[in-house]
Amino acid sequence: MMELVCPAGTPAALRAAVEAGAHSVYCGFADETNARNFPGLNFTPEDMAEAVTFAHARGARVLVAINTFPRAGAEPLWHRAVANAEAAGADAVILADIGLLAHAAELHPSLRRHLSVQAAAANPDAINLYAEAFGVRRVVLPRVLTVEEITAINREVDVETEVFVFGGLCVMAEGRCSLSSYATGKSPNMNGVCSPANHVVYAEEGRDLAAKLGGFTIHRTPKGASAPYPTLCKGCFTSGGQTGHIFEDPVSLDATQLIPRLAKAGVSALKIEGRQRSRAYVAQVVRAFRAAVEAEAAGRPLPESTLARLTEGQMATTGAYAKTWR
Amino acid sequence: MTALLPRLPRLLGLAALPLPLPPLSFFLGALTRRMATAHPGMLRRLGDYAGHRFLIDPVDLPWLLLLHPETGAMTAHRRARPPAHDARIAGPMSAFFAMMHGAEDGDALFFSRDLSVEGDTAAVLALRNAMDDAELDLSDELAALSGPLALPLRRALAGAERATGLILHRVDQGGFPA
Protein backbone atom coordinates (compact mmCIF):
# COMPACT_ATOMS: atom_id res chain seq x y z
CA MET A 1 0.00 0.00 0.00
CA MET A 2 1.21 3.54 -0.73
CA GLU A 3 2.15 5.50 2.38
CA LEU A 4 -0.26 8.26 3.35
CA VAL A 5 1.56 11.30 4.75
CA CYS A 6 -0.83 13.60 6.58
CA PRO A 7 -0.65 17.14 7.99
CA ALA A 8 -0.90 18.22 11.62
CA GLY A 9 -0.68 21.83 12.78
CA THR A 10 -1.51 20.96 16.38
CA PRO A 11 -1.26 17.91 18.65
CA ALA A 12 -5.06 17.54 18.37
CA ALA A 13 -4.80 17.44 14.58
CA LEU A 14 -2.02 14.85 14.86
CA ARG A 15 -4.23 12.64 16.99
CA ALA A 16 -7.08 13.12 14.52
CA ALA A 17 -4.79 12.14 11.62
CA VAL A 18 -3.51 9.00 13.35
CA GLU A 19 -7.01 7.94 14.39
CA ALA A 20 -8.30 8.54 10.86
CA GLY A 21 -5.70 6.18 9.39
CA ALA A 22 -2.56 8.19 8.62
CA HIS A 23 0.55 6.07 8.07
CA SER A 24 2.74 9.11 8.73
CA VAL A 25 2.08 12.58 10.06
CA TYR A 26 4.23 15.62 9.30
CA CYS A 27 4.39 18.62 11.60
CA GLY A 28 6.78 21.34 12.74
CA PHE A 29 8.01 23.41 15.65
CA ALA A 30 6.34 26.68 16.64
CA ASP A 31 8.92 28.99 15.09
CA GLU A 32 10.31 30.10 11.75
CA THR A 33 12.04 26.77 11.12
CA ASN A 34 8.96 25.36 9.43
CA ALA A 35 7.04 26.60 6.42
CA ARG A 36 3.70 26.83 8.23
CA ASN A 37 4.65 29.34 10.91
CA PHE A 38 1.09 30.57 11.50
CA PRO A 39 -0.33 32.01 14.75
CA GLY A 40 -1.65 29.42 17.20
CA LEU A 41 -0.11 26.51 15.30
CA ASN A 42 2.68 24.00 15.73
CA PHE A 43 4.52 22.11 18.42
CA THR A 44 6.83 22.80 21.35
CA PRO A 45 9.64 20.24 21.82
CA GLU A 46 7.53 18.73 24.64
CA ASP A 47 4.42 18.56 22.40
CA MET A 48 6.55 16.84 19.76
CA ALA A 49 7.84 14.16 22.12
CA GLU A 50 4.28 13.41 23.30
CA ALA A 51 3.03 13.34 19.71
CA VAL A 52 5.72 10.86 18.68
CA THR A 53 4.87 8.61 21.63
CA PHE A 54 1.15 8.77 20.69
CA ALA A 55 1.80 8.03 17.01
CA HIS A 56 4.30 5.22 17.60
CA ALA A 57 1.93 3.51 20.05
CA ARG A 58 -0.56 3.31 17.17
CA GLY A 59 1.90 2.28 14.46
CA ALA A 60 2.19 5.69 12.79
CA ARG A 61 5.35 7.65 12.01
CA VAL A 62 6.12 11.33 12.66
CA LEU A 63 8.10 13.41 10.17
CA VAL A 64 9.27 16.81 11.35
CA ALA A 65 9.35 19.60 8.77
CA ILE A 66 12.30 21.95 9.28
CA ASN A 67 11.98 23.29 5.79
CA THR A 68 12.74 26.99 5.76
CA PHE A 69 16.13 28.42 4.86
CA PRO A 70 18.22 29.51 7.88
CA ARG A 71 19.21 33.15 8.09
CA ALA A 72 22.93 33.79 8.20
CA GLY A 73 23.96 34.13 11.83
CA ALA A 74 20.77 32.51 13.14
CA GLU A 75 21.64 28.89 12.28
CA PRO A 76 21.48 27.67 15.92
CA LEU A 77 17.66 27.91 15.84
CA TRP A 78 17.54 25.46 12.92
CA HIS A 79 20.27 23.25 14.40
CA ARG A 80 18.33 23.03 17.69
CA ALA A 81 15.18 22.07 15.76
CA VAL A 82 16.97 19.10 14.18
CA ALA A 83 18.38 18.03 17.56
CA ASN A 84 14.94 18.43 19.18
CA ALA A 85 13.33 16.31 16.45
CA GLU A 86 15.84 13.55 17.04
CA ALA A 87 15.42 13.80 20.83
CA ALA A 88 11.63 13.55 20.42
CA GLY A 89 12.08 10.27 18.55
CA ALA A 90 10.93 11.56 15.16
CA ASP A 91 11.14 9.07 12.29
CA ALA A 92 12.55 11.62 9.85
CA VAL A 93 13.20 15.30 9.31
CA ILE A 94 12.07 17.09 6.16
CA LEU A 95 14.73 19.60 5.16
CA ALA A 96 15.25 22.02 2.28
CA ASP A 97 18.47 23.93 2.91
CA ILE A 98 21.75 22.43 1.74
CA GLY A 99 23.66 23.72 4.77
CA LEU A 100 21.10 22.23 7.16
CA LEU A 101 21.17 18.93 5.25
CA ALA A 102 24.95 18.84 5.64
CA HIS A 103 24.63 19.64 9.35
CA ALA A 104 22.02 16.90 9.90
CA ALA A 105 24.00 14.34 7.90
CA GLU A 106 27.15 15.07 9.88
CA LEU A 107 25.76 15.46 13.43
CA HIS A 108 22.59 13.34 13.30
CA PRO A 109 23.52 10.59 10.83
CA SER A 110 20.96 8.08 12.08
CA LEU A 111 18.06 10.51 11.68
CA ARG A 112 16.37 9.78 8.35
CA ARG A 113 16.42 12.76 5.97
CA HIS A 114 13.69 13.68 3.50
CA LEU A 115 14.01 16.50 1.00
CA SER A 116 11.27 19.09 1.33
CA VAL A 117 9.26 20.33 -1.65
CA GLN A 118 10.81 23.69 -0.69
CA ALA A 119 14.09 22.47 -2.22
CA ALA A 120 12.34 22.35 -5.62
CA ALA A 121 14.28 19.28 -6.77
CA ALA A 122 12.47 18.55 -10.01
CA ASN A 123 14.88 16.47 -12.07
CA PRO A 124 16.99 13.30 -11.59
CA ASP A 125 20.32 15.15 -11.46
CA ALA A 126 19.19 17.37 -8.59
CA ILE A 127 17.60 14.47 -6.70
CA ASN A 128 20.63 12.22 -7.12
CA LEU A 129 22.91 15.00 -5.89
CA TYR A 130 20.87 15.35 -2.67
CA ALA A 131 20.87 11.56 -2.23
CA GLU A 132 24.60 11.12 -2.79
CA ALA A 133 25.85 14.21 -0.96
CA PHE A 134 23.50 14.25 2.04
CA GLY A 135 22.05 10.73 2.28
CA VAL A 136 18.51 11.91 1.50
CA ARG A 137 16.17 8.90 1.44
CA ARG A 138 13.00 10.50 0.11
CA VAL A 139 12.22 13.52 -2.05
CA VAL A 140 8.95 15.44 -1.99
CA LEU A 141 8.39 16.40 -5.62
CA PRO A 142 7.25 19.92 -6.61
CA ARG A 143 3.65 20.35 -7.71
CA VAL A 144 4.65 21.34 -11.25
CA LEU A 145 5.33 17.90 -12.76
CA THR A 146 3.08 15.70 -14.90
CA VAL A 147 2.60 12.02 -14.07
CA GLU A 148 4.76 11.18 -17.10
CA GLU A 149 7.55 13.39 -15.82
CA ILE A 150 7.32 11.74 -12.39
CA THR A 151 7.55 8.31 -14.05
CA ALA A 152 10.67 9.39 -15.93
CA ILE A 153 12.26 10.78 -12.75
CA ASN A 154 11.58 7.57 -10.81
CA ARG A 155 13.37 5.53 -13.49
CA GLU A 156 16.57 7.50 -12.87
CA VAL A 157 16.65 7.83 -9.07
CA ASP A 158 17.10 5.33 -6.24
CA VAL A 159 15.39 7.34 -3.50
CA GLU A 160 11.69 7.23 -2.62
CA THR A 161 9.44 9.92 -4.07
CA GLU A 162 6.46 11.55 -2.37
CA VAL A 163 3.86 13.68 -4.16
CA PHE A 164 1.03 15.94 -3.06
CA VAL A 165 -2.47 14.60 -3.74
CA PHE A 166 -4.74 17.01 -1.92
CA GLY A 167 -4.99 20.55 -0.57
CA GLY A 168 -3.64 24.00 -1.26
CA LEU A 169 -1.94 24.12 -4.61
CA CYS A 170 1.40 25.89 -4.95
CA VAL A 171 2.04 26.45 -8.64
CA MET A 172 5.42 28.14 -8.34
CA ALA A 173 8.97 26.83 -8.01
CA GLU A 174 8.66 26.23 -4.30
CA GLY A 175 11.40 27.61 -2.12
CA ARG A 176 12.21 30.12 -4.86
CA CYS A 177 8.93 32.06 -4.95
CA SER A 178 9.13 35.65 -3.70
CA LEU A 179 5.61 36.82 -4.55
CA SER A 180 4.58 36.95 -0.88
CA SER A 181 7.74 38.94 -0.07
CA TYR A 182 6.89 41.60 -2.64
CA ALA A 183 3.54 42.27 -0.97
CA THR A 184 4.36 41.69 2.70
CA GLY A 185 8.11 41.42 3.21
CA LYS A 186 7.67 37.84 4.39
CA SER A 187 7.91 34.56 2.51
CA PRO A 188 7.50 30.84 3.16
CA ASN A 189 11.17 30.38 2.36
CA MET A 190 12.66 32.63 5.04
CA ASN A 191 9.83 33.19 7.52
CA GLY A 192 7.62 30.15 7.07
CA VAL A 193 4.61 32.15 5.94
CA CYS A 194 3.13 32.64 2.48
CA SER A 195 0.70 35.55 2.53
CA PRO A 196 0.91 35.92 6.34
CA ALA A 197 -2.42 36.39 8.08
CA ASN A 198 -1.35 39.61 9.78
CA HIS A 199 -1.13 41.19 6.31
CA VAL A 200 -4.54 39.86 5.25
CA VAL A 201 -7.66 42.01 5.45
CA TYR A 202 -11.19 41.13 4.37
CA ALA A 203 -13.56 44.03 3.78
CA GLU A 204 -17.17 44.23 2.64
CA GLU A 205 -17.11 46.84 -0.15
CA GLY A 206 -20.59 47.38 -1.54
CA ARG A 207 -21.90 43.94 -2.49
CA ASP A 208 -18.39 42.53 -2.88
CA LEU A 209 -15.98 40.92 -0.44
CA ALA A 210 -12.52 42.38 -1.02
CA ALA A 211 -9.62 40.14 0.01
CA LYS A 212 -6.44 42.17 0.48
CA LEU A 213 -2.82 41.26 1.07
CA GLY A 214 -0.37 43.91 2.27
CA GLY A 215 -2.83 46.61 1.20
CA PHE A 216 -3.28 45.22 -2.33
CA THR A 217 -6.73 43.95 -3.29
CA ILE A 218 -6.10 40.46 -4.65
CA HIS A 219 -9.71 39.34 -5.11
CA ARG A 220 -13.15 40.82 -5.24
CA THR A 221 -15.93 38.25 -4.94
CA PRO A 222 -19.65 38.93 -5.22
CA LYS A 223 -22.12 37.97 -2.52
CA GLY A 224 -22.70 34.23 -2.43
CA ALA A 225 -19.53 33.31 -4.35
CA SER A 226 -16.90 31.33 -2.51
CA ALA A 227 -14.32 33.41 -0.61
CA PRO A 228 -10.62 32.92 -1.41
CA TYR A 229 -7.49 33.44 0.69
CA PRO A 230 -5.51 36.28 -0.91
CA THR A 231 -2.37 34.67 -2.31
CA LEU A 232 -0.76 36.45 -5.25
CA CYS A 233 -0.30 33.31 -7.36
CA LYS A 234 -4.06 32.79 -7.32
CA GLY A 235 -4.92 36.47 -7.54
CA CYS A 236 -7.08 38.22 -10.09
CA PHE A 237 -5.16 40.72 -12.21
CA THR A 238 -6.03 43.22 -14.94
CA SER A 239 -3.61 43.44 -17.81
CA GLY A 240 -4.05 44.70 -21.34
CA GLY A 241 -7.71 45.39 -20.68
CA GLN A 242 -8.39 41.81 -19.57
CA THR A 243 -9.09 40.65 -16.04
CA GLY A 244 -8.49 37.12 -14.84
CA HIS A 245 -6.40 34.67 -12.86
CA ILE A 246 -3.00 34.79 -14.50
CA PHE A 247 -1.26 31.84 -12.83
CA GLU A 248 -3.94 29.67 -11.25
CA ASP A 249 -7.57 29.93 -10.15
CA PRO A 250 -8.27 29.85 -6.41
CA VAL A 251 -8.80 26.08 -6.45
CA SER A 252 -7.30 23.17 -4.56
CA LEU A 253 -5.58 19.99 -5.65
CA ASP A 254 -7.44 16.68 -5.56
CA ALA A 255 -5.57 13.85 -7.30
CA THR A 256 -7.63 10.99 -5.85
CA GLN A 257 -8.40 9.54 -9.26
CA LEU A 258 -4.73 9.68 -10.25
CA ILE A 259 -3.60 7.41 -7.40
CA PRO A 260 -3.34 4.26 -9.58
CA ARG A 261 -1.25 6.15 -12.16
CA LEU A 262 0.96 7.58 -9.42
CA ALA A 263 1.46 4.06 -8.03
CA LYS A 264 2.47 2.83 -11.49
CA ALA A 265 4.81 5.81 -11.78
CA GLY A 266 6.75 4.42 -8.80
CA VAL A 267 5.66 6.98 -6.20
CA SER A 268 6.11 5.69 -2.62
CA ALA A 269 4.08 8.16 -0.61
CA LEU A 270 1.10 10.46 -1.05
CA LYS A 271 1.03 13.75 0.81
CA ILE A 272 -1.96 15.74 1.99
CA GLU A 273 -1.46 19.50 2.38
CA GLY A 274 -3.07 21.44 5.24
CA ARG A 275 -1.09 21.95 8.42
CA GLN A 276 -2.93 25.26 8.82
CA ARG A 277 -6.32 23.53 8.76
CA SER A 278 -8.44 22.18 11.61
CA ARG A 279 -8.65 18.68 12.99
CA ALA A 280 -12.07 18.36 11.27
CA TYR A 281 -10.39 18.86 7.87
CA VAL A 282 -7.57 16.48 8.77
CA ALA A 283 -9.91 13.71 9.91
CA GLN A 284 -12.19 13.94 6.88
CA VAL A 285 -9.45 14.13 4.27
CA VAL A 286 -7.27 11.43 5.84
CA ARG A 287 -10.23 9.05 6.18
CA ALA A 288 -11.12 9.56 2.50
CA PHE A 289 -7.55 9.04 1.28
CA ARG A 290 -6.95 6.03 3.50
CA ALA A 291 -9.99 4.42 1.88
CA ALA A 292 -8.61 5.40 -1.54
CA VAL A 293 -5.12 3.92 -1.02
CA GLU A 294 -6.66 0.73 0.40
CA ALA A 295 -8.91 0.48 -2.65
CA GLU A 296 -5.93 1.00 -4.95
CA ALA A 297 -3.89 -1.66 -3.13
CA ALA A 298 -6.77 -4.13 -3.36
CA GLY A 299 -7.39 -3.35 -7.04
CA ARG A 300 -10.86 -2.02 -6.31
CA PRO A 301 -12.33 1.06 -8.02
CA LEU A 302 -11.45 4.26 -6.23
CA PRO A 303 -14.21 5.96 -4.25
CA GLU A 304 -15.54 9.23 -5.65
CA SER A 305 -14.09 12.20 -3.82
CA THR A 306 -16.52 14.06 -1.59
CA LEU A 307 -14.03 16.60 -0.35
CA ALA A 308 -14.71 19.59 -2.61
CA ARG A 309 -16.59 21.34 0.20
CA LEU A 310 -13.36 21.55 2.19
CA THR A 311 -11.33 23.17 -0.55
CA GLU A 312 -10.52 26.74 -1.40
CA GLY A 313 -12.79 27.84 -4.22
CA GLN A 314 -14.96 24.83 -3.38
CA MET A 315 -13.49 23.36 -6.56
CA ALA A 316 -10.75 20.85 -7.21
CA THR A 317 -8.15 20.43 -9.92
CA THR A 318 -5.62 17.74 -10.78
CA GLY A 319 -3.06 20.56 -11.06
CA ALA A 320 0.00 20.01 -13.21
CA TYR A 321 -0.32 16.20 -13.04
CA ALA A 322 -2.73 16.20 -15.96
CA LYS A 323 -2.23 19.66 -17.43
CA THR A 324 -1.88 19.88 -21.17
CA TRP A 325 -1.25 23.56 -21.80
CA ARG A 326 2.41 23.39 -20.89
CA MET B 1 -23.69 28.74 1.83
CA THR B 2 -23.55 25.24 3.25
CA ALA B 3 -27.00 23.67 3.29
CA LEU B 4 -25.91 21.40 6.14
CA LEU B 5 -25.81 24.13 8.77
CA PRO B 6 -29.08 24.66 10.62
CA ARG B 7 -30.24 28.12 11.69
CA LEU B 8 -31.76 28.73 15.08
CA PRO B 9 -35.53 29.19 14.85
CA ARG B 10 -36.42 32.86 14.46
CA LEU B 11 -38.83 32.52 17.35
CA LEU B 12 -35.97 31.48 19.64
CA GLY B 13 -34.06 34.61 18.71
CA LEU B 14 -37.10 36.78 19.44
CA ALA B 15 -37.66 34.99 22.76
CA ALA B 16 -34.04 35.66 23.74
CA LEU B 17 -34.33 39.39 23.00
CA PRO B 18 -35.62 40.54 26.40
CA LEU B 19 -33.10 38.48 28.41
CA PRO B 20 -31.12 40.74 30.78
CA LEU B 21 -27.53 41.02 29.63
CA PRO B 22 -25.61 41.29 32.97
CA PRO B 23 -26.58 37.80 34.23
CA LEU B 24 -25.94 36.38 30.75
CA SER B 25 -22.49 38.00 30.71
CA PHE B 26 -21.79 36.67 34.21
CA PHE B 27 -22.67 33.12 33.15
CA LEU B 28 -20.67 33.36 29.88
CA GLY B 29 -17.67 34.69 31.81
CA ALA B 30 -17.82 31.81 34.28
CA LEU B 31 -17.99 29.33 31.39
CA THR B 32 -15.07 30.99 29.59
CA ARG B 33 -12.90 31.02 32.72
CA ARG B 34 -13.76 27.38 33.40
CA MET B 35 -12.62 26.47 29.84
CA ALA B 36 -9.43 28.53 30.15
CA THR B 37 -8.58 26.81 33.43
CA ALA B 38 -9.35 23.33 32.14
CA HIS B 39 -7.42 23.93 28.87
CA PRO B 40 -4.41 26.10 29.74
CA GLY B 41 -2.83 25.34 26.37
CA MET B 42 -5.39 27.64 24.73
CA LEU B 43 -3.92 30.81 26.22
CA ARG B 44 -0.38 29.62 25.47
CA ARG B 45 -1.29 29.08 21.81
CA LEU B 46 -2.97 32.49 21.63
CA GLY B 47 0.23 34.19 22.82
CA ASP B 48 -0.01 37.96 22.41
CA TYR B 49 -3.43 37.58 20.77
CA ALA B 50 -4.90 36.62 24.17
CA GLY B 51 -5.09 40.37 24.86
CA HIS B 52 -7.19 41.02 21.75
CA ARG B 53 -10.96 41.60 21.86
CA PHE B 54 -12.91 39.24 19.62
CA LEU B 55 -16.45 40.18 18.65
CA ILE B 56 -18.47 37.02 18.03
CA ASP B 57 -21.54 37.81 15.96
CA PRO B 58 -24.04 34.93 16.01
CA VAL B 59 -26.29 36.16 13.22
CA ASP B 60 -29.30 34.14 14.39
CA LEU B 61 -29.24 35.50 17.95
CA PRO B 62 -30.13 39.01 19.10
CA TRP B 63 -26.82 39.77 20.86
CA LEU B 64 -23.16 40.23 20.08
CA LEU B 65 -20.59 38.50 22.29
CA LEU B 66 -17.24 40.09 23.18
CA LEU B 67 -14.48 37.67 24.15
CA HIS B 68 -11.33 38.84 25.92
CA PRO B 69 -9.29 35.66 26.47
CA GLU B 70 -6.64 37.21 28.69
CA THR B 71 -9.15 38.08 31.43
CA GLY B 72 -11.53 35.22 30.70
CA ALA B 73 -14.35 37.70 30.09
CA MET B 74 -17.18 37.10 27.66
CA THR B 75 -19.89 39.74 27.67
CA ALA B 76 -23.17 40.05 25.79
CA HIS B 77 -24.07 43.30 24.00
CA ARG B 78 -27.04 44.70 22.13
CA ARG B 79 -26.62 44.77 18.37
CA ALA B 80 -27.41 48.48 18.33
CA ARG B 81 -24.35 49.15 20.51
CA PRO B 82 -21.44 46.99 19.31
CA PRO B 83 -18.40 47.29 21.62
CA ALA B 84 -14.89 48.20 20.41
CA HIS B 85 -13.04 45.13 19.15
CA ASP B 86 -9.93 43.99 17.24
CA ALA B 87 -11.57 41.27 15.14
CA ARG B 88 -15.12 40.24 14.30
CA ILE B 89 -16.33 36.75 13.34
CA ALA B 90 -19.91 36.42 12.11
CA GLY B 91 -21.98 33.35 11.32
CA PRO B 92 -24.84 31.19 12.53
CA MET B 93 -24.52 29.68 16.01
CA SER B 94 -24.47 26.21 14.44
CA ALA B 95 -21.23 27.10 12.60
CA PHE B 96 -19.50 28.18 15.81
CA PHE B 97 -20.61 25.04 17.66
CA ALA B 98 -19.68 22.73 14.75
CA MET B 99 -16.22 24.28 14.52
CA MET B 100 -15.71 24.14 18.28
CA HIS B 101 -16.59 20.44 18.38
CA GLY B 102 -14.47 19.26 15.46
CA ALA B 103 -17.39 18.66 13.11
CA GLU B 104 -16.64 21.45 10.62
CA ASP B 105 -13.45 23.07 9.36
CA GLY B 106 -13.21 26.82 9.97
CA ASP B 107 -11.52 27.57 6.64
CA ALA B 108 -14.19 25.62 4.74
CA LEU B 109 -16.93 27.58 6.54
CA PHE B 110 -15.12 30.76 5.54
CA PHE B 111 -14.65 29.69 1.90
CA SER B 112 -18.37 28.86 1.70
CA ARG B 113 -19.23 32.26 3.25
CA ASP B 114 -21.00 30.62 6.20
CA LEU B 115 -18.52 32.53 8.37
CA SER B 116 -17.14 35.98 7.71
CA VAL B 117 -14.17 37.70 9.27
CA GLU B 118 -13.21 41.36 9.67
CA GLY B 119 -10.34 43.10 11.42
CA ASP B 120 -7.23 41.30 12.61
CA THR B 121 -7.17 38.09 10.54
CA ALA B 122 -4.10 36.73 12.33
CA ALA B 123 -5.85 37.05 15.71
CA VAL B 124 -8.85 35.15 14.36
CA LEU B 125 -6.58 32.38 13.06
CA ALA B 126 -4.79 32.16 16.41
CA LEU B 127 -8.12 31.86 18.24
CA ARG B 128 -9.40 29.23 15.83
CA ASN B 129 -6.19 27.19 16.11
CA ALA B 130 -6.02 27.48 19.91
CA MET B 131 -9.63 26.36 20.32
CA ASP B 132 -9.23 23.54 17.81
CA ASP B 133 -6.26 22.13 19.70
CA ALA B 134 -8.14 22.31 23.02
CA GLU B 135 -10.71 19.71 21.85
CA LEU B 136 -13.48 21.51 23.73
CA ASP B 137 -16.77 19.88 24.64
CA LEU B 138 -19.48 22.34 25.63
CA SER B 139 -21.66 19.67 27.20
CA ASP B 140 -18.78 18.54 29.43
CA GLU B 141 -17.95 22.13 30.41
CA LEU B 142 -21.55 23.00 31.26
CA ALA B 143 -21.96 19.76 33.20
CA ALA B 144 -18.82 20.58 35.20
CA LEU B 145 -20.38 23.92 36.18
CA SER B 146 -23.70 22.36 37.14
CA GLY B 147 -22.82 20.22 40.15
CA PRO B 148 -25.67 17.85 41.04
CA LEU B 149 -27.68 19.06 38.04
CA ALA B 150 -25.09 17.70 35.61
CA LEU B 151 -27.03 14.60 34.59
CA PRO B 152 -30.38 16.30 33.88
CA LEU B 153 -28.47 19.06 32.10
CA ARG B 154 -26.76 16.54 29.82
CA ARG B 155 -30.15 15.06 28.99
CA ALA B 156 -31.53 18.51 28.25
CA LEU B 157 -28.56 19.32 26.00
CA ALA B 158 -28.97 16.06 24.12
CA GLY B 159 -32.65 16.93 23.61
CA ALA B 160 -31.71 20.41 22.42
CA GLU B 161 -29.28 18.86 19.91
CA ARG B 162 -32.00 16.64 18.50
CA ALA B 163 -34.50 19.50 18.33
CA THR B 164 -32.24 22.14 16.76
CA GLY B 165 -29.54 20.24 14.87
CA LEU B 166 -26.87 22.14 16.80
CA ILE B 167 -23.76 20.17 17.75
CA LEU B 168 -23.28 20.66 21.48
CA HIS B 169 -20.68 17.98 22.21
CA ARG B 170 -17.39 16.77 20.72
CA VAL B 171 -18.01 14.51 17.76
CA ASP B 172 -14.55 13.69 16.48
CA GLN B 173 -13.62 10.91 18.86
CA GLY B 174 -13.25 7.51 17.23
CA GLY B 175 -10.68 5.95 14.98
CA PHE B 176 -10.39 4.59 11.48
CA PRO B 177 -12.58 1.49 11.05
CA ALA B 178 -10.40 -1.64 11.08
Side-chain angles (χ1 to χ4, degrees), chain B residues 159-177:
Chain B
E161 280 189 318
R162 285 191 297 275
T164 61
L166 296 177
I167 296 169
L168 301 176
H169 73 286
R170 210 182 135 199
V171 295
D172 63 334
Q173 288 155 304
F176 182 74

Side-chain angles (χ1 to χ4, degrees), chain A residues 10-12 15 19-20 39-42 44 197 200 202 209 222 225-227 276-281 290 309 314, chain B residues 2 44-45 49 101-105 107-108 110-113 117 121-122 125-126 128-129 132-133 135 170 172 175-176:
Chain A
T10 62
R15 291 191 289 274
E19 287 173 356
L41 281 187
N42 298 316
T44 64
V200 170
Y202 291 100
L209 175 71
S226 114
Q276 74 285 17
R277 303 291 291 269
S278 70
R279 65 187 206 271
Y281 165 96
R290 177 64 186 260
R309 206 168 60 81
Q314 316 267 284
Chain B
T2 304
R44 176 174 61 78
R45 281 196 176 272
Y49 294 112
H101 291 121
E104 292 282 351
D105 173 68
D107 284 16
F110 174 75
F111 296 148
S112 65
R113 310 284 285 265
V117 170
T121 310
L125 276 187
R128 189 277 309 267
N129 293 333
D132 195 55
D133 186 55
E135 297 172 322
R170 210 182 135 199
D172 63 334
F176 182 74

